[in-house]
Amino acid sequence: MADLQPVDLRSDTVTKPTAGMRAAIAAAEVGDDVFGEDPTVNELHRRAASLLGKEAALFVPSGTMANLLAFVSQSRPGDTVILHADSHPFNYESGGLGMVAGVLTKTLPGAHGILEPERVRAAVVRNEDHHYSHTTLVGIENTTNRGGGAFYPLRIVEEIAAIARENGMRLHCDGARLFNAVVASGTSAAGYARHCDTVSFCFSKGLGAPAGSVLVGDRATIDRAHRYRKMLGGGMRQAGVLAAAALYALDHHIERLAEDHLRARRFRQALEGIPQIGFPLPSPTNIVFLEVPDALACVGHCADCGVFMLPVSSTRVRAVFHLDIDDAGVDRAIAAVRDAAIAIR
Ligand SMILES: Cc1ncc(COP(=O)(O)O)c(C=O)c1O
């Protein structure tokens, strides 16, 4: 066991650059991107904007910064932003919405992290009465992280976009795992983006790059985001080394996400029927949540077998499938969880 590679299912952010990606990084032409002179970053901006059918794109260090820039660029302090109660910006981005964007958040329930259009409509406040904060932005997450990797049906995005438009509001899509949604749903990235004012997506998750996300939208919004990126310290100099990894990921790592989805399904199916293990959410993409009697005991037992998963509550464990997990890794993960189920019963 000791000489086996760990099977790290804690997150799809743990991937290491492949040999091909490392070669692309080594060969990258670079310049000072704060002067707008990095040719590889500029190429990435063109590619990302064109892939999503938008005017402009901005490369940023993280998904958190991409979301924050979307919020600060499309709202004013004191405005209200509608988000799902399970959304990443509300739960896991250190309160940047409050501290940096200065907005109020109205969080809504909805199965699997998906916002329900009628609840969104009911939550909007566009009232000239000075008592009220204006609702200026809706944020959706596609796929949903805490919702088990669920993807938005296009029809729901269209309906939420129509509500946003009727009320003079903006729609932002946190597409940290947008391409998992694209591959699972058959809806193109541009098909989703058409209904959104801004979309962010991450290169550092299923796409397998070491860092970086992008925010796309109309030119005026992305210009504002560019100013805020500078303000927040997100201007990177020879960022072409990272942009080269991102371009490589766009060329080589999108279609293969289907393999991660298949492996997630195989893992789940192999464990269904074990009495100590429940599945609180569907797993349509690369994320599987397990419900167990004792999450720490389960995770600890699996870690002893070289299989790493993330406890997300006292009874819930997350396993995420990605580029660095092959079929043998899935087999080891299944065996480890089966063993743990016997041990913790
Ligand atoms: C849905 C979602 N949005 C945003 C982020 C933030 O990305 P980053 O870790 O690059 O800041 C994550 C990270 O896991 C995420 O899952």
Side-chain angles (χ1 to χ4, degrees), residues 182-204:
V182 165
V183 165
S185 68
T187 298
S188 69
Y192 276 125
R194 185 176 310 130
H195 303 286
C196 305
D197 297 288
T198 50
V199 180
S200 55
F201 65 91
C202 294
F203 298 105
S204 55

mmCIF file of all heavy atoms in Angstrom, residues 182-204:
data_model
loop_
_atom_site.group_PDB
_atom_site.id
_atom_site.type_symbol
_atom_site.label_atom_id
_atom_site.label_comp_id
_atom_site.label_asym_id
_atom_site.label_seq_id
_atom_site.Cartn_x
_atom_site.Cartn_y
_atom_site.Cartn_z
ATOM 1 N N VAL A 182 -21.397 21.893 -19.448
ATOM 2 C CA VAL A 182 -21.468 21.829 -20.909
ATOM 3 C C VAL A 182 -21.428 20.367 -21.373
ATOM 4 O O VAL A 182 -22.260 19.919 -22.168
ATOM 5 C CB VAL A 182 -20.286 22.642 -21.512
ATOM 6 C CG1 VAL A 182 -20.081 22.330 -22.986
ATOM 7 C CG2 VAL A 182 -20.524 24.145 -21.287
ATOM 8 N N VAL A 183 -20.470 19.628 -20.835
ATOM 9 C CA VAL A 183 -20.290 18.241 -21.272
ATOM 10 C C VAL A 183 -21.482 17.375 -20.833
ATOM 11 O O VAL A 183 -21.958 16.526 -21.587
ATOM 12 C CB VAL A 183 -18.944 17.699 -20.707
ATOM 13 C CG1 VAL A 183 -18.869 16.193 -20.794
ATOM 14 C CG2 VAL A 183 -17.780 18.336 -21.445
ATOM 15 N N ALA A 184 -22.004 17.627 -19.639
ATOM 16 C CA ALA A 184 -23.111 16.785 -19.141
ATOM 17 C C ALA A 184 -24.445 17.152 -19.788
ATOM 18 O O ALA A 184 -25.287 16.281 -20.001
ATOM 19 C CB ALA A 184 -23.219 16.920 -17.620
ATOM 20 N N SER A 185 -24.642 18.425 -20.102
ATOM 21 C CA SER A 185 -25.969 18.863 -20.576
ATOM 22 C C SER A 185 -26.079 18.868 -22.092
ATOM 23 O O SER A 185 -27.176 18.820 -22.639
ATOM 24 C CB SER A 185 -26.263 20.281 -20.077
ATOM 25 O OG SER A 185 -25.386 21.204 -20.714
ATOM 26 N N GLY A 186 -24.929 19.002 -22.767
ATOM 27 C CA GLY A 186 -24.973 19.160 -24.224
ATOM 28 C C GLY A 186 -25.249 20.605 -24.634
ATOM 29 O O GLY A 186 -25.255 20.921 -25.822
ATOM 30 N N THR A 187 -25.465 21.493 -23.686
ATOM 31 C CA THR A 187 -25.617 22.925 -23.998
ATOM 32 C C THR A 187 -24.217 23.529 -24.105
ATOM 33 O O THR A 187 -23.374 23.273 -23.248
ATOM 34 C CB THR A 187 -26.389 23.647 -22.862
ATOM 35 O OG1 THR A 187 -27.690 23.073 -22.774
ATOM 36 C CG2 THR A 187 -26.506 25.146 -23.127
ATOM 37 N N SER A 188 -23.976 24.331 -25.152
ATOM 38 C CA SER A 188 -22.626 24.886 -25.315
ATOM 39 C C SER A 188 -22.370 25.978 -24.281
ATOM 40 O O SER A 188 -23.308 26.536 -23.692
ATOM 41 C CB SER A 188 -22.474 25.480 -26.714
ATOM 42 O OG SER A 188 -23.283 26.627 -26.826
ATOM 43 N N ALA A 189 -21.081 26.303 -24.117
ATOM 44 C CA ALA A 189 -20.733 27.385 -23.180
ATOM 45 C C ALA A 189 -21.371 28.687 -23.652
ATOM 46 O O ALA A 189 -21.905 29.465 -22.850
ATOM 47 C CB ALA A 189 -19.213 27.514 -23.097
ATOM 48 N N ALA A 190 -21.348 28.933 -24.959
ATOM 49 C CA ALA A 190 -21.957 30.160 -25.489
ATOM 50 C C ALA A 190 -23.470 30.118 -25.317
ATOM 51 O O ALA A 190 -24.105 31.155 -25.102
ATOM 52 C CB ALA A 190 -21.588 30.333 -26.960
ATOM 53 N N GLY A 191 -24.047 28.909 -25.398
ATOM 54 C CA GLY A 191 -25.497 28.766 -25.211
ATOM 55 C C GLY A 191 -25.911 29.202 -23.813
ATOM 56 O O GLY A 191 -26.928 29.878 -23.633
ATOM 57 N N TYR A 192 -25.134 28.804 -22.820
ATOM 58 C CA TYR A 192 -25.413 29.276 -21.455
ATOM 59 C C TYR A 192 -25.115 30.778 -21.346
ATOM 60 O O TYR A 192 -25.884 31.544 -20.762
ATOM 61 C CB TYR A 192 -24.532 28.533 -20.441
ATOM 62 C CG TYR A 192 -25.053 27.190 -19.986
ATOM 63 C CD1 TYR A 192 -24.274 26.037 -20.111
ATOM 64 C CD2 TYR A 192 -26.307 27.071 -19.381
ATOM 65 C CE1 TYR A 192 -24.728 24.803 -19.664
ATOM 66 C CE2 TYR A 192 -26.770 25.840 -18.924
ATOM 67 C CZ TYR A 192 -25.978 24.706 -19.071
ATOM 68 O OH TYR A 192 -26.436 23.487 -18.616
ATOM 69 N N ALA A 193 -23.949 31.185 -21.900
ATOM 70 C CA ALA A 193 -23.478 32.564 -21.680
ATOM 71 C C ALA A 193 -24.386 33.599 -22.339
ATOM 72 O O ALA A 193 -24.473 34.730 -21.861
ATOM 73 C CB ALA A 193 -22.053 32.703 -22.208
ATOM 74 N N ARG A 194 -25.072 33.192 -23.424
ATOM 75 C CA ARG A 194 -25.955 34.120 -24.140
ATOM 76 C C ARG A 194 -26.955 34.788 -23.184
ATOM 77 O O ARG A 194 -27.340 35.929 -23.367
ATOM 78 C CB ARG A 194 -26.708 33.326 -25.219
ATOM 79 C CG ARG A 194 -27.584 34.161 -26.143
ATOM 80 C CD ARG A 194 -28.220 33.306 -27.231
ATOM 81 N NE ARG A 194 -27.224 32.475 -27.914
ATOM 82 C CZ ARG A 194 -27.345 31.170 -28.118
ATOM 83 N NH1 ARG A 194 -28.428 30.522 -27.712
ATOM 84 N NH2 ARG A 194 -26.404 30.504 -28.740
ATOM 85 N N HIS A 195 -27.356 34.065 -22.164
ATOM 86 C CA HIS A 195 -28.398 34.581 -21.262
ATOM 87 C C HIS A 195 -27.819 35.319 -20.058
ATOM 88 O O HIS A 195 -28.569 35.838 -19.240
ATOM 89 C CB HIS A 195 -29.292 33.430 -20.796
ATOM 90 C CG HIS A 195 -29.901 32.707 -21.952
ATOM 91 N ND1 HIS A 195 -30.921 33.256 -22.691
ATOM 92 C CD2 HIS A 195 -29.578 31.526 -22.533
ATOM 93 C CE1 HIS A 195 -31.217 32.422 -23.679
ATOM 94 N NE2 HIS A 195 -30.422 31.369 -23.599
ATOM 95 N N CYS A 196 -26.499 35.308 -19.940
ATOM 96 C CA CYS A 196 -25.866 35.903 -18.757
ATOM 97 C C CYS A 196 -25.086 37.146 -19.173
ATOM 98 O O CYS A 196 -24.530 37.192 -20.269
ATOM 99 C CB CYS A 196 -24.894 34.912 -18.119
ATOM 100 S SG CYS A 196 -25.667 33.338 -17.721
ATOM 101 N N ASP A 197 -25.037 38.148 -18.294
ATOM 102 C CA ASP A 197 -24.238 39.333 -18.594
ATOM 103 C C ASP A 197 -22.758 39.040 -18.396
ATOM 104 O O ASP A 197 -21.923 39.478 -19.180
ATOM 105 C CB ASP A 197 -24.680 40.499 -17.697
ATOM 106 C CG ASP A 197 -26.124 40.872 -17.994
ATOM 107 O OD1 ASP A 197 -26.359 41.453 -19.063
ATOM 108 O OD2 ASP A 197 -27.013 40.543 -17.188
ATOM 109 N N THR A 198 -22.442 38.341 -17.331
ATOM 110 C CA THR A 198 -21.051 37.923 -17.107
ATOM 111 C C THR A 198 -21.031 36.446 -16.732
ATOM 112 O O THR A 198 -21.977 35.931 -16.121
ATOM 113 C CB THR A 198 -20.387 38.733 -15.961
ATOM 114 O OG1 THR A 198 -21.245 38.706 -14.824
ATOM 115 C CG2 THR A 198 -20.115 40.171 -16.365
ATOM 116 N N VAL A 199 -19.941 35.797 -17.109
ATOM 117 C CA VAL A 199 -19.717 34.393 -16.745
ATOM 118 C C VAL A 199 -18.264 34.269 -16.313
ATOM 119 O O VAL A 199 -17.372 34.834 -16.957
ATOM 120 C CB VAL A 199 -19.943 33.439 -17.943
ATOM 121 C CG1 VAL A 199 -19.707 31.985 -17.531
ATOM 122 C CG2 VAL A 199 -21.338 33.604 -18.533
ATOM 123 N N SER A 200 -18.031 33.560 -15.208
ATOM 124 C CA SER A 200 -16.654 33.231 -14.854
ATOM 125 C C SER A 200 -16.474 31.729 -14.985
ATOM 126 O O SER A 200 -17.441 30.976 -14.821
ATOM 127 C CB SER A 200 -16.345 33.674 -13.423
ATOM 128 O OG SER A 200 -17.282 33.123 -12.529
ATOM 129 N N PHE A 201 -15.275 31.305 -15.326
ATOM 130 C CA PHE A 201 -14.978 29.871 -15.215
ATOM 131 C C PHE A 201 -13.529 29.679 -14.805
ATOM 132 O O PHE A 201 -12.696 30.559 -14.979
ATOM 133 C CB PHE A 201 -15.361 29.084 -16.474
ATOM 134 C CG PHE A 201 -14.606 29.413 -17.730
ATOM 135 C CD1 PHE A 201 -13.442 28.711 -18.054
ATOM 136 C CD2 PHE A 201 -15.055 30.382 -18.597
ATOM 137 C CE1 PHE A 201 -12.750 28.985 -19.230
ATOM 138 C CE2 PHE A 201 -14.364 30.669 -19.772
ATOM 139 C CZ PHE A 201 -13.210 29.976 -20.087
ATOM 140 N N CYS A 202 -13.276 28.515 -14.201
ATOM 141 C CA CYS A 202 -11.960 28.239 -13.605
ATOM 142 C C CYS A 202 -11.175 27.260 -14.463
ATOM 143 O O CYS A 202 -11.718 26.265 -14.944
ATOM 144 C CB CYS A 202 -12.131 27.623 -12.216
ATOM 145 S SG CYS A 202 -12.874 28.739 -11.032
ATOM 146 N N PHE A 203 -9.893 27.530 -14.611
ATOM 147 C CA PHE A 203 -8.991 26.582 -15.271
ATOM 148 C C PHE A 203 -8.392 25.602 -14.260
ATOM 149 O O PHE A 203 -7.807 24.597 -14.638
ATOM 150 C CB PHE A 203 -7.858 27.347 -15.970
ATOM 151 C CG PHE A 203 -8.374 28.253 -17.053
ATOM 152 C CD1 PHE A 203 -8.437 29.621 -16.857
ATOM 153 C CD2 PHE A 203 -8.822 27.736 -18.258
ATOM 154 C CE1 PHE A 203 -8.935 30.462 -17.842
ATOM 155 C CE2 PHE A 203 -9.322 28.565 -19.246
ATOM 156 C CZ PHE A 203 -9.379 29.928 -19.034
ATOM 157 N N SER A 204 -8.504 25.939 -12.986
ATOM 158 C CA SER A 204 -7.769 25.206 -11.951
ATOM 159 C C SER A 204 -8.599 24.103 -11.310
ATOM 160 O O SER A 204 -8.192 23.538 -10.309
ATOM 161 C CB SER A 204 -7.337 26.202 -10.873
ATOM 162 O OG SER A 204 -8.492 26.897 -10.413
#
